[in-house]
Amino acid sequence: DATAYQEAQRLYENEEYMSAYLALGNMSGNYKDSQQLEAKCVCNITRAYYEDKDYKEAYNWLAILKDCKKYLPKETDTSFMQKIQIRYAENLINTEENKKIEEGLEILKSMKSTSEIKKLITKAEKQLKQNKYDTAAKHLKNKQYTQAVDGFAEIKDFSDAKKQWLTAMYEYVQTNKGRYEDVKSSDSILSSVRNGVRRFYGYAE
């Protein structure tokens, strides 16, 4: 352990933080201030990724840093930790992919609210609604009216979604007039038809 510690210390002094961190990993237990040295390595590795704008890798190391932060000297500046979370969440939001946006939103909502975080949360929520709108609009264009109705119904307060929601119901009714208009719901009718009848008259209202 003494040899591994000395090697890690040498590497740390040469600013080879990753190599120093790996050298400490070869130790069988704690030796002298090895926990503090390890924490300092992790802190510098995480900060370096952040400064290189590799926010995904910085965020991955952030979890390790949180675990060993208590061993850092009190004067250590760790303000970049929150900045990593914000920048990583922002990158996720900018992908415009629902799953990633939701992940970014979850990160932001877990943090102490600031004006910047509030703006990003608003942006994420707006993008999620836009994605739902685009999907519903695609259903409407493809004459998949029930999917369009359901999609627009979730976001009636967004853009002209309420108008499109009404349009989708109207188009469904017009398309199915001949199919359901003269059919009465009864136990003798197949459940799929009964559901269609209910939907028809529900939309027609």
Side-chain angles (χ1 to χ4, degrees):
D1 283 355
T3 302
Y5 175 81
Q6 289 170 359
E7 175 62 9
Q9 197 170 43
R10 183 188 68 79
L11 290 165
Y12 181 84
E13 289 169 359
N14 288 336
E15 299 184 1
E16 298 177 51
Y17 303 122
M18 185 67 78
S19 296
Y21 175 75
L22 294 173
L24 288 167
N26 292 326
M27 294 173 58
S28 58
N30 298 322
Y31 180 80
K32 290 188 177 180
D33 63 346
S34 60
Q35 288 178 311
Q36 185 182 81
L37 183 58
E38 182 178 44
K40 287 160 68 176
C41 288
V42 173
C43 185
N44 281 289
I45 290 166
T46 308
R47 184 189 286 110
Y49 279 121
Y50 168 69
E51 290 173 352
D52 288 341
K53 298 183 179 180
D54 188 344
Y55 301 126
K56 182 178 181 179
E57 198 61 39
Y59 186 79
N60 290 337
W61 277 89
L62 191 60
I64 304 171
L65 179 55
K66 285 179 179 178
D67 286 340
C68 63
K69 184 184 175 185
K70 60 185 176 182
Y71 299 112
L72 288 173
K74 289 183 179 179
E75 66 274 12
T76 305
D77 178 15
T78 57
S79 60
F80 66 91
M81 293 176 69
Q82 181 172 341
K83 293 174 184 176
I84 288 172
Q85 290 178 282
I86 293 172
R87 297 285 78 81
Y88 178 61
E90 184 177 25
N91 278 6
L92 289 171
I93 292 166
N94 289 337
T95 63
E96 299 184 2
E97 296 176 28
N98 285 344
K99 189 174 181 180
K100 290 183 178 179
I101 295 170
E102 287 164 0
E103 182 186 347
L105 195 54
E106 188 177 341
I107 292 169
L108 293 168
K109 287 184 174 180
S110 71
M111 300 175 69
K112 186 176 180 181
S113 183
T114 65
S115 59
E116 182 181 17
I117 288 172
K118 285 178 181 177
K119 285 179 183 178
L120 287 171
I121 287 174
T122 299
K123 181 180 179 180
E125 291 174 341
K126 184 178 179 181
Q127 186 61 57
L128 285 172
K129 286 185 177 181
Q130 183 65 59
N131 289 353
K132 286 183 178 181
Y133 181 96
D134 292 343
T135 300
K138 186 176 179 180
H139 286 314
L140 181 57
K141 183 179 179 181
N142 293 335
K143 299 182 181 181
Q144 297 169 313
Y145 300 123
T146 57
Q147 293 97 318
V149 169
D150 291 343
F152 286 124
E154 291 182 25
I155 51 166
K156 282 190 280 186
D157 61 337
F158 180 76
S159 186
D160 66 341
K162 186 173 182 179
K163 178 183 176 182
Q164 297 297 341
W165 172 66
L166 293 169
T167 299
M169 286 194 289
Y170 174 81
E171 292 296 340
Y172 177 87
V173 170
Q174 293 304 307
T175 302
N176 289 281
K177 266 187 173 182
R179 184 179 182 187
Y180 295 130
E181 207 165 26
D182 298 324
V183 178
K184 293 182 179 179
S185 181
S186 68
D187 291 339
S188 62
I189 303 174
L190 291 173
S191 61
S192 60
V193 177
R194 287 203 304 274
N195 289 337
V197 171
R198 292 192 191 101
R199 187 179 293 115
F200 176 85
Y201 284 104
Y203 290 178
E205 290 175 1

